[in-house]
Amino acid sequence: MPLDAPALRQALSATPGASPDGLETSHSLLCRREAAAFQRAALGEAEVLVIACTQESRLFAALNDETAGAPNLVERPIRFVNIRETGGWSKDAARATPKIAALLAEAQLPPPEPVGTVSYASAGRTLVIGPAEAASRAAALLGDALEPTLLIDPIGGAVPQVRELLVQGGRLTRLSGWLGAFDAEWESSNPIDLDLCTRCNACVAACPEGAIGLDYQVDLDVCKSHRECVRVCEAAGAIDFQRDPVTHQGRFDLVLDLRAAPAFTMHQPPQGYFHTGADERRLMDAVLKLRDLVGEFDKPRFFRYQQRLCAHSRNEQIGCNACIEVCSARAIRSDASAKGRAKNALQPAGGIIVEPHLCVGCGACTTVCPSGALGYAAPNTVDQGKRLQTLLATYARAGGRDAALLLHSEEAGQRLIGELGRAARLDPAIHGVPVRVIPVALWHTASVGLDLWLAAIAQGASQVWLLLTDEEAPEYRQALAEQMAIGEAILQGLGYAGEHFKLIEARDARDLAALDAALRAPTARGVAQAAGFAAQPEKRATLELALDHLRQQAATAVPDEIALPRPGALYGTLQVDTERCTLCLACVGACPEHALADNPDRPQLKFIEKNCVQCGLCASTCPERAITLQPRLLLADEGRARKATRVLNEAQPFACVRCGKPFGTARAIENMLAKLAGHAAFQGAAAERLKMCGDCRVIDLHTNPNEVRITDL
């Protein structure tokens, strides 16, 4: 592939934190004939050694170990970056210098902030569920490292004659948990107790209908109640047709499910659970993985959760449900009924619960979360934003234009990029990854959302594309498409022409031609001057910086507002029916983002649009159903209108008939009097007491002790 070492050195020299050392010359056989050049670099004083080749990473690691005096890989890591398939093997590789410089600069960034871990412990206790013969064979494949327990479900086949394994018969009724902590429950209703059965085969021989097979279970559809089996099993006592169904429970570390229908139906089943059905290849793959799952394991705690920002629930009212609906692992559940769990009076109880052992780190929940209560932690938004900004800034400084970020997964997506690059070398019809397309590998494509997408556009990207493979769940596709629709609506409303966000679908090598064509899409209009801000820890803070810069860089007149698609909208206003609103201010107490507020001096409902996340808690809490949501992005007055406080409704206060102090609103008191006018307890002085403030009501109750008290009714 063509490499311009002087140009790369010049580009990296202008990149903060990037080192151009070692780029005086480029190498073509560094892992073979030119290995001495690598060894000289290994003896250098650089804090990190970057090798622009991923193919021979094992060889370079071994060379480093064999180089006397070179720091070990813990003291001075080696980072490998692929510049070949990602650009050097495309048809326009001669112009790939800006992209290669960007990839090299990114590789020199410091590692992300460390995160906490989630631990698993597995002793190898494995539950194998399925027909007798298949379960027995699978148990034999698992070997001595695991401790299989067979659950014969459904009945049929042949149980091993030798009692080497614990065998249970029954119907699985419940399975929950994760690696090292699966709780299983099954119901045994068959007359034969497999735990008592000695497998002498007397019942099999005695049954005139052949209703008992070598699975040692009675087929009740065939049995004619001769009960010969009971007679011949009298000594063991394993057969009892009067036995009530028995529920069994057990805890297991691992589960191998051979049945046709899986116990878990979500896209991402718990770690430690494998469903193969009757597929022989999947069974062998599962067996190999299961045999490695004995011991203690850690994984990153992929998320952070701030309950104070969560817009899911308040006072048992449901608002935003986005994270629960999008989670393909069902790791998130509602905690809306969590009464009394609040840490203080300013933090109402409720919210969500995320089970870290079930979380697979897709990050889709953080992408759809409108408030930023859920944030991705491995890496966090600041580190991920710095990575994208480094790529874009280095690319631009090296003369690159119209950069398109291609976000893809580290596994299936990475493989497709590699296959496309290799195809470009061999197939004249395949172009390869264009020079303006910068691949960015992520743990999961759904982990980066609208805040970083718009930040990337503000920082100079022309487009942001997501490469989706079979790894992504259907829930992710819909959620990502909705978020992209919001981002596109904002950019189009600001006058940025073209398609800026796109989902690119590709499964395997059969889709390479379509992928190749998709990557050569026309450019879209970006900003004239790239922003210099850094991504913030809080999602909405990053969004605000991006929106302000995009508004300032708009090439056309900025409209007063931009309508946003309803699903997943992060911004909007409220429409209050002032004829129905009584200014009870229940909505103020329900708002988790402080978008709604009252006025301590007079009856007013105030609103700050910038803070509204369109969760709907105010609308579901309102007893008068006077509130409706209106997704939009308000840009009037150069964006200041969205950040200003405005009054949605106000009313004249009602004056206490005893002391004259204002309390409540005239409409609220009138509504209350009208509703209680026919009630026997609120006549005469009691009705008059409703027109008093709290202090005067207490005084009046003690002044007239013979009257019925409202509080006693």
Side-chain angles (χ1 to χ4, degrees):
M1 58 181 168
L3 289 175
D4 188 341
L8 287 173
R9 181 177 180 84
Q10 182 179 358
L12 290 176
S13 297
T15 300
S19 172
D21 294 344
L23 276 173
E24 290 86 354
T25 59
S26 59
H27 303 274
S28 57
L29 288 172
L30 188 64
C31 54
R32 295 290 187 268
R33 193 170 58 212
E34 299 172 304
F38 166 78
Q39 291 182 303
R40 287 194 296 271
L43 292 169
E45 297 180 355
E47 294 182 2
V48 60
L49 192 58
V50 177
I51 305 297
C53 173
T54 54
Q55 178 177 301
E56 300 292 347
S57 56
R58 286 187 62 184
L59 176 59
F60 283 119
L63 277 174
N64 186 83
D65 291 341
E66 294 172 4
T67 302
N72 61 48
L73 297 181
V74 176
E75 296 172 345
R76 197 274 318 282
I78 299 177
R79 295 184 188 154
F80 299 94
V81 55
N82 182 356
I83 64 170
R84 190 176 70 179
E85 283 84 356
T86 56
W89 276 1
S90 65
K91 295 296 191 289
D92 53 1
R95 296 185 285 110
T97 296
K99 175 165 66 173
I100 293 174
L103 294 173
L104 293 174
E106 179 211 5
Q108 296 182 67
L109 288 173
E113 288 290 325
V115 298
T117 58
V118 180
S119 299
Y120 300 86
S122 168
R125 297 164 300 178
T126 307
L127 178 64
V128 182
I129 314 169
E133 291 179 359
S136 301
R137 179 172 175 271
L141 291 173
L142 290 174
D144 298 333
L146 305 179
E147 302 175 20
T149 294
L150 307 190
L151 176 57
I152 308 305
D153 179 13
I155 63 172
V159 171
Q161 188 72 30
V162 180
R163 293 174 61 98
E164 293 181 330
L165 302 172
L166 178 60
V167 180
Q168 299 280 350
R171 179 178 60 88
L172 184 73
T173 56
R174 185 179 66 86
L175 181 63
S176 62
W178 47 80
L179 172 64
F182 284 104
D183 290 315
E185 187 175 283
W186 62 93
E187 182 182 83
S188 298
S189 57
N190 202 272
I192 299 181
D193 185 336
L194 285 177
D195 198 34
L196 296 176
C197 175
T198 62
R199 303 175 197 174
C200 66
N201 298 316
C203 60
V204 178
C207 180
E209 295 90 8
I212 305 177
L214 293 180
D215 59 349
Y216 305 111
Q217 297 284 273
V218 179
D219 187 342
L220 296 174
D221 293 332
V222 178
C223 177
K224 303 300 182 183
S225 302
H226 290 88
R227 302 296 187 262
E228 282 297 305
C229 56
V230 177
R231 182 183 61 80
V232 298
C233 191
E234 183 177 0
I239 306 178
D240 182 359
F241 282 85
Q242 305 304 315
R243 182 186 295 116
D244 293 330
V246 180
T247 298
H248 303 271
Q249 295 177 337
R251 169 156 283 204
F252 302 91
D253 299 313
L254 305 163
V255 178
L256 176 59
D257 194 345
L258 309 176
R259 300 172 302 165
F264 297 100
T265 57
M266 57 274 217
H267 186 268
Q268 298 281 352
Q271 290 177 286
Y273 171 84
F274 297 87
H275 174 258
T276 67
D279 190 313
E280 186 71 17
R281 180 175 296 180
R282 290 173 62 187
L283 173 62
M284 296 307 297
D285 183 57
V287 167
L288 291 175
K289 292 178 179 177
L290 282 163
R291 296 181 68 168
D292 286 336
L293 290 178
V294 178
E296 296 184 359
F297 308 92
D298 291 324
K299 72 175 182 182
R301 189 180 180 92
F302 290 103
F303 64 93
R304 58 167 178 78
Y305 175 57
Q306 300 179 77
Q307 196 271 347
R308 63 180 177 83
L309 297 177
C310 183
H312 169 63
S313 62
R314 283 294 186 277
N315 304 320
E316 301 189 40
Q317 293 291 327
I318 300 298
C320 174
N321 227 20
C323 60
I324 296 175
E325 293 173 352
V326 81
C327 182
S328 67
R330 296 182 191 165
I332 307 175
R333 67 180 188 272
S334 174
D335 198 28
S337 62
K339 294 182 179 179
R341 295 188 193 172
K343 295 180 180 178
N344 54 64
L346 299 178
Q347 182 176 310
I352 59 167
I353 294 176
V354 185
E355 176 48 67
H357 292 90
L358 292 176
C359 174
V360 295
C362 68
C365 58
T366 68
T367 292
V368 300
C369 179
S371 66
L374 276 169
Y376 203 70
N380 61 42
T381 306
V382 173
D383 288 329
Q384 195 69 275
K386 185 175 182 180
R387 182 185 179 198
L388 300 182
Q389 188 175 28
T390 298
L391 286 167
L392 292 169
T394 306
Y395 176 81
R397 276 193 293 267
R401 298 183 61 186
D402 300 320
L405 296 179
L406 178 62
L407 311 183
H408 61 84
S409 67
E410 293 178 353
E411 295 187 4
Q414 192 94 297
R415 286 196 299 272
L416 276 174
I417 297 296
E419 290 172 359
L420 182 63
R422 289 188 290 275
R425 289 281 293 171
L426 305 173
D427 187 345
I430 297 295
H431 181 277
V433 184
V435 294
R436 78 180 190 92
V437 177
I438 304 176
V440 182
L442 306 174
W443 173 257
H444 201 287
T445 51
S447 64
V448 173
L450 189 59
D451 52 339
L452 290 182
W453 299 343
L454 286 176
I457 299 294
Q459 291 165 352
S462 168
Q463 290 148 309
V464 177
W465 298 335
L466 269 67
L467 175 58
L468 303 184
T469 66
D470 287 338
E471 289 179 328
E472 284 79 17
E475 298 95 327
Y476 303 159
R477 285 167 161 78
Q478 179 180 348
L480 291 169
E482 290 174 355
Q483 293 293 302
M484 285 190 164
I486 294 168
E488 199 66 70
I490 293 172
L491 292 176
Q492 296 295 332
L494 290 171
Y496 294 95
E499 184 183 29
H500 300 82
F501 304 112
K502 181 170 63 174
L503 298 179
I504 300 175
E505 300 268 359
R507 293 165 297 173
D508 50 39
R510 292 172 294 181
D511 296 329
L512 285 184
L515 173 60
D516 190 56
L519 296 183
R520 285 183 281 167
T523 63
R525 181 166 190 161
V527 296
Q529 181 178 353
F533 67 82
Q536 303 298 300
E538 300 296 335
K539 178 176 186 174
R540 292 181 77 85
T542 302
L543 279 168
E544 287 300 314
L545 291 171
L547 291 173
D548 284 346
H549 187 78
L550 291 168
R551 180 186 55 77
Q552 293 166 10
Q553 291 287 306
T556 59
V558 177
D560 286 344
E561 65 177 76
I562 298 172
L564 299 180
R566 183 168 294 278
L570 284 76
Y571 292 104
T573 186
L574 304 178
Q575 298 294 333
V576 176
D577 186 344
T578 56
E579 294 299 318
R580 304 181 69 175
C581 175
T582 62
L583 284 173
C584 68
L585 302 180
C587 55
V588 174
C591 180
E593 310 304 328
H594 305 292
L596 288 167
D598 62 351
N599 186 337
D601 297 324
R602 60 179 300 150
Q604 280 185 337
L605 177 61
K606 299 191 293 184
F607 180 62
I608 302 176
E609 187 158 335
K610 178 180 74 72
N611 294 348
C612 180
V613 299
Q614 296 284 288
C615 66
L617 273 171
C618 55
S620 61
T621 300
C622 177
E624 310 299 339
R625 298 293 182 260
I627 299 176
T628 54
L629 307 180
Q630 181 187 346
R632 72 173 185 182
L633 179 62
L634 183 63
L635 298 169
D637 194 18
E638 297 184 345
R640 289 189 292 269
R642 190 164 54 92
K643 303 173 184 179
T645 301
R646 69 175 187 268
V647 176
L648 296 180
N649 192 19
E650 60 182 329
Q652 290 297 320
F654 185 87
C656 173
V657 296
R658 181 174 179 137
C659 70
K661 182 175 71 175
F663 79 100
T665 67
R667 176 171 294 172
I669 300 301
E670 290 167 2
N671 286 351
M672 182 170 58
L673 290 171
K675 291 178 179 180
L676 298 176
H679 199 292
F682 296 98
Q683 304 299 319
E688 194 69 12
R689 200 171 289 131
L690 295 175
K691 304 175 185 178
M692 300 177 187
C693 67
D695 294 338
C696 290
R697 193 175 300 131
V698 173
I699 294 172
D700 192 65
L701 283 170
H702 287 280
T703 304
N704 301 284
N706 293 326
E707 292 189 20
V708 178
R709 298 185 181 186
I710 298 174
T711 53
D712 293 336
L713 297 176

